[in-house]
Amino acid sequence: MSISLDGNIAIITGAAGGQGAAEARLFLERGASVVLTDFAAEAGAALAEELGERASFVAHDVASAEDWAAVVAHTLDRHGRIDTLVNNAGILRMMPLEEETVEGLDRILSVNVRGVFLGMQAVAATMKAQGSGAIVNISSLAGIQGQHGAVAYSASKFAVRGMTKSAALEFGPFGVRVNSVHPGTILTPMIGDLGETADIFPFAALGRAGRAEEVATLVAFLASSDASYLTGGEYLADGGSAAGDSAQLQQALMGGFQTPNAE
């Protein structure tokens, strides 16, 4: 049986496409109501309309405290509570240390770190007052081990992992759980088209790249009451990439499996 999210009120950022859209669809399938947010307003609004009356959309820059206040106000006005926050929005930039710029670093940190920080801060008072809530922060395999040619991106994803643990300690006494999810190579527009290599990806133990829906099932579990004793944890969804030789994976990323810069 699928894990139920009946009655769960969830905010999912970066939900206009890719992994965020897969999470929104699965949450709705399992009974939740979802507030989708994204800077891509047209795509986000269209998806919310497609998903039906339990979905709504708010245009959202996750690096803006004012936008976060608007998202929380919309959610409380519409639903009266916030049970789950999925900090899914993020950007990817592959750039070696010596070629990275301060502007590039700041851009990555503003979305991947500041966005997560502001999101947790924005829902904290509501969740603590309720005495319940689940926050799922989407980090990366690059938040578990270094990634060649992506020093700024890796820094941002390690930061998400650390913030998650600190927030779990602060929020735990109020019944609010905070966990991080660390996807490996997942087939979304962010990493581009891997073509035939998606099904013969030798750097994961399972021998293939992952699907957004496979990450979404882990996120849904962590949001559910079945994960009631899980907080401060880091959960890999990488097909076993971290279980083996990380140097081999990095060599592959330097070669034919290099990913593009994406937002």
Side-chain angles (χ1 to χ4, degrees), residues 133-226:
I135 299 172
V136 183
N137 295 325
I138 306 301
S139 180
S140 170
L141 178 58
I144 297 292
Q145 59 189 36
Q147 185 163 324
H148 186 281
V151 63
Y153 180 71
S154 286
S156 74
K157 293 304 186 177
F158 267 85
V160 170
R161 179 181 171 196
M163 289 192 297
T164 296
K165 293 182 180 297
S166 291
L169 294 173
E170 292 187 24
F171 294 169
F174 299 92
V176 179
R177 300 181 296 103
V178 191
N179 291 289
S180 60
V181 168
H182 298 258
T185 300
I186 308 298
L187 298 174
T188 68
M190 178 177 279
I191 69 163
D193 184 4
L194 293 183
E196 295 180 357
T197 62
D199 295 325
I200 54 169
F201 190 73
F203 313 104
L206 294 179
R208 62 173 176 82
R211 301 185 301 275
E213 293 78 10
E214 292 176 303
V215 180
T217 57
L218 174 56
V219 174
F221 167 69
L222 291 172
S224 76
S225 59
D226 285 41

Side-chain angles (χ1 to χ4, degrees), residues 2-156:
S2 296
I3 293 171
S4 173
L5 291 173
D6 281 346
N8 191 291
I9 307 301
I11 298 170
I12 301 178
T13 69
Q19 196 169 282
E23 291 158 2
R25 290 182 187 279
L26 183 62
F27 270 60
L28 287 160
E29 288 173 10
R30 296 189 175 182
S33 295
V34 179
V35 175
L36 297 79
T37 87
D38 206 294
F39 73 94
E42 185 175 343
L47 179 58
E49 183 176 359
E50 173 195 330
L51 294 176
E53 63 182 13
R54 285 188 288 113
S56 60
F57 175 76
V58 180
H60 184 200
D61 174 3
V62 295
S64 165
E66 292 76 14
D67 278 13
W68 270 109
V71 169
V72 168
H74 167 88
T75 308
L76 293 176
D77 288 347
R78 185 179 176 95
H79 300 289
R81 60 185 295 112
I82 302 170
D83 297 305
T84 300
L85 168 63
V86 182
N87 274 314
N88 175 81
I91 59 175
L92 169 65
R93 175 180 168 88
M94 303 293 291
M95 192 65 63
L97 173 61
E98 292 179 287
E99 297 176 28
E100 185 59 274
T101 64
V102 171
E103 293 78 15
L105 172 66
D106 287 347
R107 174 60 179 155
I108 288 177
L109 296 181
S110 71
V111 176
N112 294 3
V113 179
R114 181 176 176 177
V116 172
F117 166 82
L118 289 174
M120 293 193 292
Q121 194 173 64
V123 302
T126 297
M127 288 186 173
K128 287 166 69 175
Q130 292 170 177
S132 65
I135 299 172
V136 183
N137 295 325
I138 306 301
S139 180
S140 170
L141 178 58
I144 297 292
Q145 59 189 36
Q147 185 163 324
H148 186 281
V151 63
Y153 180 71
S154 286
S156 74

